[in-house]
Amino acid sequence: MIVLKDILYRVKLETVVGNTSVAVNNIRFDSREVELNDVFVAIRGTASDGHEFIKTAVDKGALVVVCEELPEVQVNGVTYVQVADTKKALAFMAANYFDNPSEKLKLVGVTGTNGKTTIATLLYDLFTKAGYKVGLLSTVKVMVGNDAFEAIRTTPDSVTINSYLKQMNDAGVEFCFMEVSSHGIDQHRTTALQFAGGIFTNLSHDHLDYHKDFAEYRDVKKRFFDELPASAFALVNVDDKNGLVMLQNTKAKKYTYALKSYADYKAQILENQFTGLLLKVNDQEVWSKLIGNFNAYNILAIYAAAELLGLETLESLKLISELNSVNGRFQYVISPNEKITAIVDYAHTPDALKNVLETINSIRTNNEKLITVVGCGGDRDTTKRPKMGHIASALSTKVIFTSDNPRTEDPDAIIEDVEAGVQPQNFKKVMSVTNRKQAIKTACQLAEANDIILIAGKGHETYQEINGERFDFDDLKIVNEFLKQLNK
Ligand SMILES: CC(=O)N[C@H]1[C@@H](OP(=O)(O)OP(=O)(O)OC[C@H]2O[C@@H](n3ccc(=O)[nH]c3=O)[C@H](O)[C@@H]2O)O[C@H](CO)[C@@H](O)[C@@H]1O[C@H](C)C(=O)N[C@@H](C)C(=O)N[C@H](CCC(=O)O)C(=O)O
Ligand SMILES: Nc1ncnc2c1ncn2[C@@H]1O[C@H](COP(=O)(O)OP(=O)(O)OP(=O)(O)O)[C@@H](O)[C@H]1O
Ligand SMILES: N[C@H](CCC[C@H](N)C(=O)O)C(=O)O
Ligand SMILES: [Mg+2]
């Protein structure tokens, strides 16, 4: 039985009307999910204001209402708790409700524009290989030990996070690696969690539809480090110009990693091929099956984090060399006859797309064509579209612009935004095929022996979202089928 006053610990209360000794059922922030004796937390969102649904929630049986503004009409027997910030209150109540599960394992958060899923997943794999029970909260999936769950968000809401962490406690999980998105920090989904460490990957253009400007986006990321406790480590990439900014006000122990700058953890790329990377990490050589410069950063970050968490250095180098690439991140197939390489990658930001294309270009010889299939998601930052159009057309031999997840937008209008970034000298390289499946087919038809096809933007996703509906769609499966069908 959970009593209201026991879950209000650390919540800054302004006014309480009614009894706080009542037994409550679940915590809800969506009136549509409220059941008898639940706590309803009213949250001001972008589309609507949870305060408007207080009456509905009470009618459905909510016993407690947590809000920023008390409703004029108050129902007898219902407890009203007024706080300054309901998102923060929700985070603390959720943590208390599940008995503060983050304190009972070592929780490490990974933030930054690109590389979060890769680093969190590789750390999960590394610690699992080292014999520990591990948890993972990522864009691709949630893992509680060896049990997999579907991921809906990169960083789930605070109730979901704490409920998974509690499951991890019950399963004896010792380490949990989680992605911390800027939306998550901004909406206090990770407030009230006790982190043992934080990792910063890099900062480049994304989500400028949500954050007012780049400075605000950066400051939200920084807030994650500002809130780390002194017992935690803060590990940042100092080749990124915002790396040191993240450390400015943190109480945590500061560590840096870099390929180019002076840092606590250093790596050098000795070889960079299609089969993998040979790195020198703090004077030890390590071979990795992962491909591309950016993965050298990811490997260095996991090596450093593993050491900071107490994993033995030599063991971790040995295990790192066994790690495979993450689902949808530079995953590739080579066709049997014409040896066409088709790469599927989740690059959905200008910087990620540039990195992937540069990596492919640094490995391929001039005789092979690079055919890129790419688009941008609807209902997301529109300013990244022309940038991605420019990058794709400048760095490929041929580009087919297509749909990503159009969501509620007109797919052709999105493609026009992308095409607007193409410079005149690249006009000849570009075509557009709105239907993504047809676009992939066209790429397969155009490809000749030894050519490379890059299909960017959707990576691991197994659906395409059009007008609120999700249809089955898997880039890797589809390209494989066409290559076979066309006998390539
Ligand atoms: C832009 C954004 O982050 N939106 C989040 C936000 O929604 P919102 O502000 O639009 O909420 P709203 O619809 O206005 O509703 C306000 C409140 O009223 C409640 N409500 C609403 C209707 C009703 O009938 N009854 C009711 O109680 C809602 O549950 C909500 O609590 O608050 C909601 C509740 O916490 C989130 O579910 C929602 O995530 C939406 C679904 C979303 O798509 N988020 C994406 C952009 C996101 O968070 N992405 C990042 C990844 C980014 C990255 O790649 O780095 C992630 O971490 O996944
Ligand atoms: N360290 C890195 N630096 C730059 N680009 C990277 C890095 N790691 C991966 N990428 C590129 O970015 C893409 C996305 O990588 P990943 O999924 O790991 O990032 P993420 O931060 O989790 O993204 P999201 O915000 O969507 O959750 C990859 O497919 C790859 O193209
Ligand atoms: N987490 C990112 C993923 C984008 C992936 C891309 N395929 C798209 O749909 O835009 C977002 O929700 O903005
Ligand atoms: Mg991710």
Side-chain angles (χ1 to χ4, degrees):
M1 192 179 73
I2 305 237
V3 175
L4 174 61
K5 65 174 187 303
D6 293 337
I7 59 171
L8 290 177
Y9 172 63
R10 289 191 295 170
V11 176
K12 287 207 180 78
L13 304 175
E14 293 197 338
T15 318
V16 177
V17 183
N19 187 355
T20 57
S21 298
V22 290
V24 294
N25 204 2
N26 288 305
I27 304 174
R28 308 279 186 196
F29 52 87
D30 190 331
S31 61
R32 289 162 290 200
E33 290 170 6
V34 170
E35 289 173 9
L36 194 64
N37 296 340
D38 280 349
V39 177
F40 175 68
V41 184
I43 294 204
R44 294 187 208 277
T46 44
S48 55
D49 181 352
H51 290 79
E52 283 162 21
F53 305 105
I54 291 179
K55 185 178 176 310
T56 319
V58 171
D59 287 347
K60 291 182 79 176
L63 189 59
V64 178
V65 170
V66 179
C67 52
E68 291 173 9
E69 217 174 300
L70 290 170
E72 277 175 22
V73 183
Q74 293 168 11
V75 176
N76 242 340
V78 173
T79 308
Y80 293 87
V81 179
Q82 188 186 16
V83 298
D85 186 330
T86 44
K87 286 177 185 153
K88 268 192 198 165
L90 176 67
F92 284 110
M93 290 169 76
N96 293 332
Y97 184 91
F98 291 100
D99 203 14
N100 293 295
S102 62
E103 293 171 7
K104 299 181 187 115
L105 43 71
K106 286 199 165 129
L107 177 64
V108 176
V110 188
T111 196
T113 308
N114 292 308
K116 298 184 294 296
T117 301
T118 307
I119 291 177
T121 310
L122 292 178
L123 279 167
Y124 168 86
D125 290 343
L126 178 66
F127 277 74
T128 303
K129 277 178 184 290
Y132 294 97
K133 267 216 155 180
V134 195
L136 173 71
L137 293 165
S138 82
T139 314
V140 179
K141 60 185 177 183
V142 171
M143 297 295 293
V144 176
N146 293 323
D147 297 333
F149 301 88
E150 193 193 351
I152 309 283
R153 302 253 88 81
T154 287
T155 306
D157 64 83
S158 48
V159 179
T160 307
I161 296 176
N162 281 285
S163 130
Y164 276 126
L165 292 176
K166 168 78 172 126
Q167 283 188 51
M168 291 180 200
N169 288 167
D170 294 344
V173 164
E174 288 174 76
F175 296 94
C176 173
F177 302 100
M178 78 176 285
E179 288 186 51
V180 177
S181 69
S182 58
H183 295 76
I185 303 169
D186 186 53
Q187 294 168 20
H188 290 288
R189 298 179 200 162
T190 52
T191 303
L193 298 178
Q194 182 175 299
F195 284 95
I199 304 175
F200 169 76
T201 63
N202 48 60
L203 203 65
S204 64
H205 184 148
D206 203 11
H207 303 307
L208 296 187
D209 51 335
Y210 182 86
H211 302 289
K212 194 175 84 245
D213 51 32
F214 191 79
E216 186 194 287
Y217 178 44
R218 179 196 62 209
D219 292 345
V220 167
K221 294 274 186 201
K222 178 173 172 290
R223 222 172 69 202
F224 172 65
F225 292 91
D226 293 351
E227 289 169 4
L228 286 179
S231 55
F233 66 79
L235 172 67
V236 303
N237 168 12
V238 278
D239 281 346
D240 187 286
K241 64 176 185 302
N242 286 300
L244 288 174
V245 175
M246 299 297 138
L247 295 182
Q248 269 166 10
N249 301 92
T250 189
K251 295 184 282 301
K253 294 185 272 300
K254 301 171 185 174
Y255 297 93
T256 54
Y257 68 97
L259 297 189
K260 299 180 205 143
S261 328
Y262 175 78
D264 299 317
Y265 292 93
K266 292 254 340 152
Q268 199 188 335
I269 300 178
L270 303 177
E271 276 177 47
N272 181 6
Q273 301 166 353
F274 237 120
T275 45
L277 282 165
L278 183 64
L279 301 178
K280 196 176 218 180
V281 176
N282 277 9
D283 290 326
Q284 313 252 22
E285 276 190 18
V286 58
W287 169 257
S288 161
K289 290 184 248 177
L290 275 67
I291 299 159
N293 267 8
F294 56 87
N295 272 321
Y297 283 95
N298 296 337
I299 292 163
L300 182 58
I302 66 163
Y303 168 83
E307 190 181 283
L308 294 170
L309 289 167
L311 208 67
E312 209 263 314
T313 320
L314 281 178
E315 188 192 4
S316 100
L317 285 175
K318 179 179 140 285
L319 297 176
I320 284 172
S321 65
E322 294 171 13
L323 297 173
N324 289 312
S325 75
V326 177
N327 229 351
R329 276 73 184 160
F330 220 107
Q331 253 188 317
Y332 64 94
V333 288
I334 300 175
S335 72
N337 299 331
E338 297 185 10
K339 307 283 177 231
I340 295 165
T341 304
I343 301 164
V344 169
D345 190 87
Y346 194 45
H348 57 79
T349 65
D351 189 53
L353 188 61
K354 182 164 164 277
N355 283 331
V356 172
L357 287 166
E358 282 177 350
T359 293
I360 297 171
N361 283 328
S362 70
I363 300 168
R364 82 181 164 114
T365 65
N366 287 333
N367 309 330
E368 303 140 7
K369 291 201 292 298
L370 169 55
I371 305 169
T372 300
V373 178
V374 67
C376 286
D379 303 333
R380 293 286 186 273
D381 193 344
T382 54
T383 60
K384 69 179 177 184
R385 293 176 188 170
K387 291 188 182 184
M388 289 178 66
H390 166 62
I391 290 165
S393 57
L395 298 177
S396 317
T397 328
K398 194 137 209 81
V399 183
I400 305 170
F401 290 126
T402 189
S403 305
D404 190 288
N405 293 310
R407 300 196 175 84
T408 64
E409 284 194 63
D410 169 13
D412 292 318
I414 300 177
I415 294 175
E416 276 171 34
D417 288 348
V418 175
E419 281 174 334
V422 179
Q423 298 196 327
Q425 71 270 28
N426 296 320
F427 283 164
K428 289 196 304 293
K429 296 183 183 175
V430 170
M431 60 197 280
S432 77
V433 179
T434 313
N435 181 300
R436 193 171 177 95
K437 200 166 178 176
Q438 288 307 317
I440 295 175
K441 186 176 183 183
T442 309
C444 293
Q445 285 165 335
L446 290 173
E448 294 167 310
N450 300 318
D451 284 351
I452 300 171
I453 300 173
L454 169 69
I455 305 168
K458 290 178 56 61
H460 64 283
E461 292 175 357
T462 50
Y463 61 84
Q464 187 176 30
E465 188 177 325
I466 305 173
N467 267 328
E469 235 187 295
R470 286 189 171 190
F471 301 91
D472 284 349
F473 202 99
D474 184 330
D475 283 347
L476 196 66
K477 226 159 113 190
I478 290 171
V479 74
N480 233 333
E481 275 162 20
F482 282 130
L483 287 173
K484 265 196 210 129
Q485 236 179 55
L486 297 166
N487 219 357
K488 294 266 178 169

